[in-house]
Amino acid sequence: MRMKKTAQITVDALMSVLLLVMFAVPWTGVLRHERLGVILFVLFAVHNAIHFRWYASLFRGPYNAYRTVWAGINIGLLAAMLAVALSGVMISQHVFGFLEINGSLFWRRLHLCASYWGLILTGAHIGLHLPQRPQGTPVKILFLLFGAYGLYACAALHIWNRLLFLETFSAHAPSAAASAIRHLGAAWLFALLTRGFCLKIRQNRIR
């Protein structure tokens, strides 16, 4: 059991780091981006295999509001990652270039759109696992400050346009560090929103 937990934490940590790196294409280059994308998808597959029992339990028992939100976020994340993988293969120039597909602009837009849905749903997924009530005033302040930064990050990333399939790849590229911090901030914002929403559901259920 301890070994499984260690493997789970390792896979999740690697996935989190790789997810942020994937948004820094101008700094990694297309070839590394594609190779790292394959690694990320493999880790995602391992993560889902570890939690296979959760999928097996989807059709068992009743659904309340909290369980519906939990299932919706996880299934949405699975769909987003599958869309990222499929569109990634369609526009691949190196790793799957031998297929000679040369995907159209539609696939490029889908890749960007699905990537950002994957980002915010990863944040929401993390929010499901955050403590409902963070201990200590400093921790609460840090939560709120980074959440406020997440609003700025979403605006800077034009995240709403990308989520709504309205934008292709941007020519503007901040530094690798700035890119990672912005995407982390955006994910954290949705983690906090999910945590707050789930807390509200639980409070209403208790009442």
Side-chain angles (χ1 to χ4, degrees):
M1 184 63 70
R2 182 178 296 178
M3 228 173 154
K4 182 180 177 180
K5 190 68 175 176
T6 301
Q8 179 181 333
I9 293 172
T10 302
V11 168
D12 290 352
L14 288 173
M15 283 176 58
S16 300
V17 172
L18 270 180
L19 181 63
L20 296 178
V21 173
M22 295 304 293
F23 288 99
V25 183
W27 305 101
T28 61
V30 176
L31 176 57
R32 286 195 186 95
H33 176 79
E34 291 187 15
R35 287 174 174 172
L36 292 173
V38 172
I39 295 172
L40 177 59
F41 186 76
V42 170
L43 290 173
F44 183 75
V46 172
H47 174 88
N48 280 275
I50 292 173
H51 296 281
F52 177 77
R53 287 186 179 180
W54 181 84
Y55 288 100
S57 68
L58 275 174
F59 300 102
R60 298 174 189 165
Y63 273 78
N64 54 27
Y66 182 75
R67 189 184 180 193
T68 300
V69 170
W70 189 289
I73 288 172
N74 289 334
I75 293 172
L77 179 56
L78 175 64
M81 294 300 289
L82 290 176
V84 170
L86 174 61
S87 57
V89 171
M90 296 298 291
I91 64 175
S92 174
Q93 300 173 23
H94 300 285
V95 176
F96 298 100
F98 65 92
L99 297 174
E100 298 183 354
I101 298 175
N102 298 320
S104 64
L105 181 61
F106 166 80
W107 291 107
R108 294 180 181 277
R109 286 189 169 180
L110 177 62
H111 192 67
L112 187 71
C113 176
S115 296
Y116 277 87
W117 275 107
L119 177 72
I120 67 164
L121 288 170
T122 296
H125 179 78
I126 292 171
L128 294 172
H129 299 279
L130 287 176
Q132 294 299 309
R133 296 186 182 278
Q135 299 299 315
T137 301
V139 175
K140 292 178 181 178
I141 292 174
L142 284 174
F143 268 41
L144 292 175
L145 284 177
F146 209 30
Y149 174 77
L151 288 172
Y152 160 77
C154 286
L157 293 169
H158 300 169
I159 200 167
W160 311 116
N161 288 342
R162 296 179 179 187
L163 291 174
L164 295 174
F165 212 79
L166 299 176
E167 192 167 328
T168 54
F169 295 98
S170 174
H172 174 68
S175 69
S179 173
I181 292 172
R182 284 180 184 178
H183 287 88
L184 180 60
W188 182 251
L189 172 63
F190 284 93
L192 289 180
L193 290 174
T194 302
R195 171 187 161 276
F197 184 67
C198 289
L199 178 60
K200 191 70 177 174
I201 289 175
R202 285 186 167 183
Q203 286 176 338
N204 290 338
R205 188 172 63 185
I206 291 172
R207 291 172 190 171

